PDB file of all heavy atoms in Angstrom:
ATOM      1  N   VAL H 810      79.583  -0.179 -59.683  1.00 86.00           N
ATOM      2  CA  VAL H 810      79.603  -1.522 -60.048  1.00 86.00           C
ATOM      3  C   VAL H 810      80.854  -1.675 -61.071  1.00 86.00           C
ATOM      4  O   VAL H 810      81.669  -2.557 -60.930  1.00 86.00           O
ATOM      5  CB  VAL H 810      78.319  -2.072 -60.649  1.00 86.00           C
ATOM      6  CG1 VAL H 810      78.605  -3.425 -61.319  1.00 86.00           C
ATOM      7  CG2 VAL H 810      77.323  -2.275 -59.613  1.00 86.00           C
ATOM      8  N   SER H 811      80.884  -0.739 -61.997  1.00 86.00           N
ATOM      9  CA  SER H 811      81.907  -0.832 -63.049  1.00 86.00           C
ATOM     10  C   SER H 811      83.348  -0.808 -62.444  1.00 86.00           C
ATOM     11  O   SER H 811      84.222  -1.590 -62.775  1.00 86.00           O
ATOM     12  CB  SER H 811      81.733   0.208 -64.185  1.00 86.00           C
ATOM     13  OG  SER H 811      81.674   1.508 -63.460  1.00 86.00           O
ATOM     14  N   GLU H 812      83.500  -0.017 -61.453  1.00 86.00           N
ATOM     15  CA  GLU H 812      84.723   0.170 -60.728  1.00 86.00           C
ATOM     16  C   GLU H 812      85.113  -1.154 -60.036  1.00 86.00           C
ATOM     17  O   GLU H 812      86.250  -1.642 -60.193  1.00 86.00           O
ATOM     18  CB  GLU H 812      84.649   1.234 -59.725  1.00 86.00           C
ATOM     19  CG  GLU H 812      85.931   1.968 -59.385  1.00 86.00           C
ATOM     20  CD  GLU H 812      85.638   3.004 -58.245  1.00 86.00           C
ATOM     21  OE1 GLU H 812      84.562   3.711 -58.340  1.00 86.00           O
ATOM     22  OE2 GLU H 812      86.385   3.087 -57.270  1.00 86.00           O
ATOM     23  N   LEU H 813      84.098  -1.700 -59.351  1.00 86.00           N
ATOM     24  CA  LEU H 813      84.334  -2.960 -58.681  1.00 86.00           C
ATOM     25  C   LEU H 813      84.731  -4.046 -59.673  1.00 86.00           C
ATOM     26  O   LEU H 813      85.604  -4.874 -59.382  1.00 86.00           O
ATOM     27  CB  LEU H 813      83.077  -3.386 -57.878  1.00 86.00           C
ATOM     28  CG  LEU H 813      82.918  -2.905 -56.554  1.00 86.00           C
ATOM     29  CD1 LEU H 813      81.421  -3.107 -56.027  1.00 86.00           C
ATOM     30  CD2 LEU H 813      83.852  -3.572 -55.541  1.00 86.00           C
ATOM     31  N   ILE H 814      83.952  -4.150 -60.739  1.00 87.00           N
ATOM     32  CA  ILE H 814      84.165  -5.221 -61.692  1.00 87.00           C
ATOM     33  C   ILE H 814      85.546  -5.096 -62.397  1.00 87.00           C
ATOM     34  O   ILE H 814      86.306  -6.071 -62.508  1.00 87.00           O
ATOM     35  CB  ILE H 814      83.014  -5.216 -62.761  1.00 87.00           C
ATOM     36  CG1 ILE H 814      81.771  -5.657 -62.016  1.00 87.00           C
ATOM     37  CG2 ILE H 814      83.487  -6.228 -63.863  1.00 87.00           C
ATOM     38  CD1 ILE H 814      80.645  -5.888 -63.071  1.00 87.00           C
ATOM     39  N   ILE H 815      85.874  -3.963 -62.802  1.00 87.00           N
ATOM     40  CA  ILE H 815      87.151  -3.740 -63.435  1.00 87.00           C
ATOM     41  C   ILE H 815      88.271  -4.131 -62.503  1.00 87.00           C
ATOM     42  O   ILE H 815      89.239  -4.736 -62.950  1.00 87.00           O
ATOM     43  CB  ILE H 815      87.275  -2.310 -64.053  1.00 87.00           C
ATOM     44  CG1 ILE H 815      86.317  -2.143 -65.155  1.00 87.00           C
ATOM     45  CG2 ILE H 815      88.765  -1.976 -64.387  1.00 87.00           C
ATOM     46  CD1 ILE H 815      86.250  -0.704 -65.670  1.00 87.00           C
ATOM     47  N   ASP H 816      88.183  -3.691 -61.321  1.00 86.00           N
ATOM     48  CA  ASP H 816      89.222  -4.066 -60.224  1.00 86.00           C
ATOM     49  C   ASP H 816      89.434  -5.506 -60.132  1.00 86.00           C
ATOM     50  O   ASP H 816      90.522  -5.918 -59.938  1.00 86.00           O
ATOM     51  CB  ASP H 816      88.687  -3.493 -58.961  1.00 86.00           C
ATOM     52  CG  ASP H 816      89.812  -2.926 -58.097  1.00 86.00           C
ATOM     53  OD1 ASP H 816      90.723  -2.430 -58.736  1.00 86.00           O
ATOM     54  OD2 ASP H 816      89.702  -2.929 -56.878  1.00 86.00           O
ATOM     55  N   ARG H 817      88.298  -6.252 -60.266  1.00 86.00           N
ATOM     56  CA  ARG H 817      88.490  -7.741 -60.057  1.00 86.00           C
ATOM     57  C   ARG H 817      88.641  -8.445 -61.436  1.00 86.00           C
ATOM     58  O   ARG H 817      88.945  -9.702 -61.407  1.00 86.00           O
ATOM     59  CB  ARG H 817      87.307  -8.266 -59.353  1.00 86.00           C
ATOM     60  CG  ARG H 817      86.974  -7.614 -58.026  1.00 86.00           C
ATOM     61  CD  ARG H 817      87.994  -8.052 -57.037  1.00 86.00           C
ATOM     62  NE  ARG H 817      87.685  -9.312 -56.451  1.00 86.00           N
ATOM     63  CZ  ARG H 817      86.964  -9.395 -55.381  1.00 86.00           C
ATOM     64  NH1 ARG H 817      86.436  -8.400 -54.654  1.00 86.00           N
ATOM     65  NH2 ARG H 817      86.757 -10.600 -54.841  1.00 86.00           N
ATOM     66  N   PHE H 818      88.516  -7.738 -62.515  1.00 86.00           N
ATOM     67  CA  PHE H 818      88.513  -8.339 -63.828  1.00 86.00           C
ATOM     68  C   PHE H 818      89.950  -8.753 -64.129  1.00 86.00           C
ATOM     69  O   PHE H 818      90.180  -9.769 -64.703  1.00 86.00           O
ATOM     70  CB  PHE H 818      87.935  -7.395 -64.847  1.00 86.00           C
ATOM     71  CG  PHE H 818      87.937  -7.940 -66.299  1.00 86.00           C
ATOM     72  CD1 PHE H 818      87.134  -9.095 -66.606  1.00 86.00           C
ATOM     73  CD2 PHE H 818      88.706  -7.426 -67.313  1.00 86.00           C
ATOM     74  CE1 PHE H 818      87.124  -9.591 -67.839  1.00 86.00           C
ATOM     75  CE2 PHE H 818      88.733  -7.986 -68.551  1.00 86.00           C
ATOM     76  CZ  PHE H 818      87.909  -9.069 -68.834  1.00 86.00           C
ATOM     77  N   TRP H 819      90.919  -7.969 -63.843  1.00 88.00           N
ATOM     78  CA  TRP H 819      92.319  -8.159 -64.229  1.00 88.00           C
ATOM     79  C   TRP H 819      92.819  -9.440 -63.566  1.00 88.00           C
ATOM     80  O   TRP H 819      93.438 -10.260 -64.310  1.00 88.00           O
ATOM     81  CB  TRP H 819      93.140  -6.996 -63.985  1.00 88.00           C
ATOM     82  CG  TRP H 819      92.706  -5.714 -64.721  1.00 88.00           C
ATOM     83  CD1 TRP H 819      92.215  -4.646 -64.234  1.00 88.00           C
ATOM     84  CD2 TRP H 819      92.540  -5.666 -66.113  1.00 88.00           C
ATOM     85  NE1 TRP H 819      91.731  -3.792 -65.167  1.00 88.00           N
ATOM     86  CE2 TRP H 819      92.003  -4.444 -66.455  1.00 88.00           C
ATOM     87  CE3 TRP H 819      92.869  -6.499 -67.206  1.00 88.00           C
ATOM     88  CZ2 TRP H 819      91.671  -3.944 -67.713  1.00 88.00           C
ATOM     89  CZ3 TRP H 819      92.541  -6.092 -68.486  1.00 88.00           C
ATOM     90  CH2 TRP H 819      92.000  -4.849 -68.726  1.00 88.00           C
ATOM     91  N   PRO H 820      92.668  -9.645 -62.311  1.00 89.00           N
ATOM     92  CA  PRO H 820      93.110 -10.929 -61.703  1.00 89.00           C
ATOM     93  C   PRO H 820      92.445 -12.138 -62.368  1.00 89.00           C
ATOM     94  O   PRO H 820      93.085 -13.148 -62.694  1.00 89.00           O
ATOM     95  CB  PRO H 820      92.674 -10.804 -60.265  1.00 89.00           C
ATOM     96  CG  PRO H 820      92.613  -9.371 -60.033  1.00 89.00           C
ATOM     97  CD  PRO H 820      92.223  -8.760 -61.192  1.00 89.00           C
ATOM     98  N   THR H 821      91.099 -11.947 -62.675  1.00 88.00           N
ATOM     99  CA  THR H 821      90.439 -13.042 -63.352  1.00 88.00           C
ATOM    100  C   THR H 821      91.046 -13.297 -64.691  1.00 88.00           C
ATOM    101  O   THR H 821      91.357 -14.444 -65.134  1.00 88.00           O
ATOM    102  CB  THR H 821      88.908 -12.737 -63.510  1.00 88.00           C
ATOM    103  OG1 THR H 821      88.462 -12.586 -62.187  1.00 88.00           O
ATOM    104  CG2 THR H 821      88.182 -13.890 -64.196  1.00 88.00           C
ATOM    105  N   LEU H 822      91.292 -12.216 -65.479  1.00 86.00           N
ATOM    106  CA  LEU H 822      91.775 -12.421 -66.818  1.00 86.00           C
ATOM    107  C   LEU H 822      93.150 -13.045 -66.766  1.00 86.00           C
ATOM    108  O   LEU H 822      93.492 -13.967 -67.589  1.00 86.00           O
ATOM    109  CB  LEU H 822      91.872 -10.980 -67.470  1.00 86.00           C
ATOM    110  CG  LEU H 822      92.071 -10.946 -68.957  1.00 86.00           C
ATOM    111  CD1 LEU H 822      90.804 -11.476 -69.584  1.00 86.00           C
ATOM    112  CD2 LEU H 822      92.366  -9.556 -69.414  1.00 86.00           C
ATOM    113  N   LEU H 823      93.953 -12.593 -65.811  1.00 89.00           N
ATOM    114  CA  LEU H 823      95.307 -13.102 -65.669  1.00 89.00           C
ATOM    115  C   LEU H 823      95.263 -14.659 -65.479  1.00 89.00           C
ATOM    116  O   LEU H 823      95.955 -15.374 -66.149  1.00 89.00           O
ATOM    117  CB  LEU H 823      95.984 -12.363 -64.481  1.00 89.00           C
ATOM    118  CG  LEU H 823      97.456 -12.672 -64.276  1.00 89.00           C
ATOM    119  CD1 LEU H 823      98.258 -12.199 -65.448  1.00 89.00           C
ATOM    120  CD2 LEU H 823      97.985 -11.886 -63.012  1.00 89.00           C
ATOM    121  N   LEU H 824      94.466 -14.995 -64.477  1.00 90.00           N
ATOM    122  CA  LEU H 824      94.343 -16.470 -64.065  1.00 90.00           C
ATOM    123  C   LEU H 824      93.815 -17.227 -65.350  1.00 90.00           C
ATOM    124  O   LEU H 824      94.223 -18.369 -65.680  1.00 90.00           O
ATOM    125  CB  LEU H 824      93.388 -16.552 -62.947  1.00 90.00           C
ATOM    126  CG  LEU H 824      93.226 -18.004 -62.371  1.00 90.00           C
ATOM    127  CD1 LEU H 824      94.496 -18.555 -61.896  1.00 90.00           C
ATOM    128  CD2 LEU H 824      92.223 -17.940 -61.153  1.00 90.00           C
ATOM    129  N   MET H 825      92.756 -16.625 -66.067  1.00 87.00           N
ATOM    130  CA  MET H 825      92.116 -17.286 -67.079  1.00 87.00           C
ATOM    131  C   MET H 825      93.031 -17.514 -68.315  1.00 87.00           C
ATOM    132  O   MET H 825      93.085 -18.649 -68.843  1.00 87.00           O
ATOM    133  CB  MET H 825      90.909 -16.484 -67.544  1.00 87.00           C
ATOM    134  CG  MET H 825      89.675 -17.120 -67.982  1.00 87.00           C
ATOM    135  SD  MET H 825      88.299 -15.976 -68.041  1.00 87.00           S
ATOM    136  CE  MET H 825      88.756 -15.096 -69.520  1.00 87.00           C
ATOM    137  N   VAL H 826      93.679 -16.457 -68.680  1.00 87.00           N
ATOM    138  CA  VAL H 826      94.539 -16.609 -69.873  1.00 87.00           C
ATOM    139  C   VAL H 826      95.686 -17.518 -69.670  1.00 87.00           C
ATOM    140  O   VAL H 826      95.922 -18.467 -70.494  1.00 87.00           O
ATOM    141  CB  VAL H 826      95.022 -15.156 -70.231  1.00 87.00           C
ATOM    142  CG1 VAL H 826      96.183 -15.265 -71.256  1.00 87.00           C
ATOM    143  CG2 VAL H 826      94.002 -14.286 -70.749  1.00 87.00           C
ATOM    144  N   THR H 827      96.367 -17.423 -68.452  1.00 90.00           N
ATOM    145  CA  THR H 827      97.487 -18.355 -68.221  1.00 90.00           C
ATOM    146  C   THR H 827      97.004 -19.839 -68.149  1.00 90.00           C
ATOM    147  O   THR H 827      97.554 -20.719 -68.697  1.00 90.00           O
ATOM    148  CB  THR H 827      98.232 -18.078 -66.874  1.00 90.00           C
ATOM    149  OG1 THR H 827      97.221 -17.851 -65.849  1.00 90.00           O
ATOM    150  CG2 THR H 827      99.055 -16.876 -67.065  1.00 90.00           C
ATOM    151  N   THR H 828      95.722 -19.975 -67.543  1.00 90.00           N
ATOM    152  CA  THR H 828      95.156 -21.291 -67.522  1.00 90.00           C
ATOM    153  C   THR H 828      94.924 -21.904 -68.844  1.00 90.00           C
ATOM    154  O   THR H 828      95.212 -23.047 -69.097  1.00 90.00           O
ATOM    155  CB  THR H 828      93.894 -21.226 -66.623  1.00 90.00           C
ATOM    156  OG1 THR H 828      94.239 -20.843 -65.314  1.00 90.00           O
ATOM    157  CG2 THR H 828      93.235 -22.651 -66.501  1.00 90.00           C
ATOM    158  N   ILE H 829      94.301 -21.040 -69.714  1.00 88.00           N
ATOM    159  CA  ILE H 829      93.851 -21.457 -70.966  1.00 88.00           C
ATOM    160  C   ILE H 829      95.117 -21.829 -71.779  1.00 88.00           C
ATOM    161  O   ILE H 829      95.135 -22.934 -72.458  1.00 88.00           O
ATOM    162  CB  ILE H 829      93.001 -20.442 -71.693  1.00 88.00           C
ATOM    163  CG1 ILE H 829      91.641 -20.403 -71.069  1.00 88.00           C
ATOM    164  CG2 ILE H 829      92.866 -20.793 -73.171  1.00 88.00           C
ATOM    165  CD1 ILE H 829      90.748 -19.354 -71.570  1.00 88.00           C
ATOM    166  N   ILE H 830      96.132 -20.999 -71.771  1.00 89.00           N
ATOM    167  CA  ILE H 830      97.291 -21.254 -72.547  1.00 89.00           C
ATOM    168  C   ILE H 830      97.926 -22.586 -72.145  1.00 89.00           C
ATOM    169  O   ILE H 830      98.217 -23.543 -72.942  1.00 89.00           O
ATOM    170  CB  ILE H 830      98.356 -20.106 -72.333  1.00 89.00           C
ATOM    171  CG1 ILE H 830      97.779 -18.876 -73.082  1.00 89.00           C
ATOM    172  CG2 ILE H 830      99.691 -20.565 -72.956  1.00 89.00           C
ATOM    173  CD1 ILE H 830      98.648 -17.644 -72.885  1.00 89.00           C
ATOM    174  N   ILE H 831      97.981 -22.751 -70.754  1.00 91.00           N
ATOM    175  CA  ILE H 831      98.719 -23.978 -70.277  1.00 91.00           C
ATOM    176  C   ILE H 831      97.812 -25.248 -70.538  1.00 91.00           C
ATOM    177  O   ILE H 831      98.210 -26.228 -71.117  1.00 91.00           O
ATOM    178  CB  ILE H 831      98.939 -23.926 -68.804  1.00 91.00           C
ATOM    179  CG1 ILE H 831     100.076 -22.885 -68.563  1.00 91.00           C
ATOM    180  CG2 ILE H 831      99.328 -25.255 -68.181  1.00 91.00           C
ATOM    181  CD1 ILE H 831     100.428 -22.721 -67.137  1.00 91.00           C
ATOM    182  N   ALA H 832      96.480 -25.076 -70.385  1.00 90.00           N
ATOM    183  CA  ALA H 832      95.578 -26.230 -70.521  1.00 90.00           C
ATOM    184  C   ALA H 832      95.523 -26.628 -71.936  1.00 90.00           C
ATOM    185  O   ALA H 832      95.624 -27.797 -72.328  1.00 90.00           O
ATOM    186  CB  ALA H 832      94.181 -26.003 -69.928  1.00 90.00           C
TER     187      ALA H 832
END
Side-chain angles (χ1 to χ4, degrees):
Chain H
V810 167
S811 50
E812 203 182 321
L813 273 168
I814 291 184
I815 288 173
D816 216 30
R817 302 290 277 268
F818 181 65
W819 301 116
T821 299
L822 196 69
L823 189 62
L824 182 60
M825 213 167 75
V826 169
T827 46
T828 300
I829 288 177
I830 291 174
I831 291 180

